[in-house]
Amino acid sequence: DGGITQSPKYLFRKEGQNVTLSCEQNLNHDAMYWYRQDPGQGLRLIYYSQIVNDFQKGDIAEGYSVSREKKESFPLTVTSAQKNPTAFYLCASSIVGEAYNEQFFGPGTRLTVL
Amino acid sequence: AQSVTQLDSQVPVFEEAPVELRCNYSSSVSVYLFWYVQYPNQGLQLLLKYLSGSTLVKSINGFEAEFNKSQTSFHLRKPSVHISDTAEYFCAVSDRIRNDYKLSFGAGTTVTVRA
């Protein structure tokens, strides 16, 4: 089955630690995205990548880093510089070249900082 | 840049009653419009989209949305809801001209269907 997988589903970390969230897709999509979801705020874009070895900052990139070494993988690192990292993180992907941007989402990772 | 306003954060509704979720957007350019649904602790699923053509679009599970260009709205409706429609619904827009593959989301509307 084609889709997007995110792991782990739940993640706990202590303050001051970096943590990496995994996102893998087998849809052969060129573009991948990371969003942060907080109650009552909808989804906010952290980073996105339209091609391997290239990525752009979204609206709330501070305290986060990404890499795109493979087409199917787009890991997100939440660094200790992120002031309020507890949130639900969603990864998405889409085709590049379509006239419109329909994004497909993974199941999410819920990060809790203790 | 676009912005999306979902006018209701919470919508309680009884089973088999109709529901309407309101979405307004602001944009200086033409847009594509989407509704996504999120069930508890899951990712988002595309419910329906407006790209061009008929301003009324429908999903396979009974939802419909109408694009109104003059009012910059894309309200979502269902004439008779089921318990299984309990979820959070997000309206989203993307820039038709610029097409930088970025979606702008509203804050979401939580629909709770009661028996």
Side-chain angles (χ1 to χ4, degrees):
Chain A
D1 285 337
I4 302 174
T5 57
Q6 291 185 243
S7 60
K9 187 172 179 64
Y10 298 96
L11 186 58
F12 298 88
R13 80 149 217 225
K14 294 181 180 179
E15 278 192 41
Q17 290 180 336
N18 292 355
V19 62
T20 297
L21 282 60
S22 169
C23 177
E24 304 277 333
Q25 54 98 0
N26 62 2
L27 299 168
N28 200 33
H29 286 171
D30 289 299
M32 296 186 75
Y33 313 79
W34 273 106
Y35 292 92
R36 171 181 171 135
Q37 184 179 12
D38 296 283
Q41 296 193 46
L43 277 69
R44 293 181 290 168
L45 183 65
I46 304 173
Y47 270 98
Y48 65 106
S49 167
Q50 296 185 32
I51 194 170
V52 174
N53 292 322
D54 188 43
F55 47 83
Q56 287 77 42
K57 292 181 179 179
D59 301 318
I60 56 164
E62 185 175 354
Y64 300 97
S65 66
V66 294
S67 62
R68 187 85 187 278
E69 297 177 0
K70 299 186 296 182
K71 184 176 182 177
E72 59 270 22
S73 179
F74 191 41
L76 172 75
T77 297
V78 184
T79 75
S80 56
Q82 169 49 235
K83 299 301 181 190
N84 184 21
T86 294
F88 190 49
Y89 291 86
L90 289 160
C91 178
S93 69
S94 70
I95 296 172
V96 170
E98 289 284 341
Y100 60 91
N101 182 11
E102 178 179 340
Q103 294 183 14
F104 296 80
F105 285 80
T109 292
R110 188 166 298 279
L111 173 64
T112 303
V113 175
L114 304 173
Chain B
Q2 307 95 23
S3 68
V4 181
T5 302
Q6 291 184 241
L7 297 162
D8 306 290
S9 60
Q10 307 265 350
V11 175
V13 58
F14 286 106
E15 194 174 18
E16 299 184 5
V19 69
E20 179 181 74
L21 309 183
R22 296 177 291 169
C23 172
N24 287 91
Y25 68 92
S26 65
S27 176
S28 58
V29 299
S30 181
V31 297
Y32 298 112
L33 294 154
F34 307 84
W35 275 100
Y36 282 86
V37 59
Q38 183 181 36
Y39 300 102
N41 292 311
Q42 295 186 25
L44 276 67
Q45 302 171 31
L46 182 66
L47 190 58
L48 45 74
K49 60 194 177 210
Y50 171 77
L51 307 178
S52 64
S54 173
T55 57
L56 183 65
V57 291
K58 299 183 179 184
S59 72
I60 58 172
N61 57 354
F63 283 94
E64 63 180 36
E66 186 156 21
F67 169 54
N68 187 317
K69 187 176 181 179
S70 63
Q71 297 186 7
T72 60
S73 68
F74 191 53
H75 300 334
L76 181 69
R77 302 181 184 91
K78 189 171 185 180
S80 176
V81 296
H82 302 290
I83 296 289
S84 59
D85 293 322
T86 294
E88 191 161 17
Y89 294 79
F90 293 93
C91 182
V93 302
S94 68
D95 187 329
R96 182 188 289 263
I97 303 300
R98 187 176 168 189
N99 203 18
D100 61 1
Y101 302 99
K102 292 170 68 174
L103 282 176
S104 297
F105 286 87
T109 298
T110 300
V111 174
T112 304
V113 181
R114 299 189 176 99

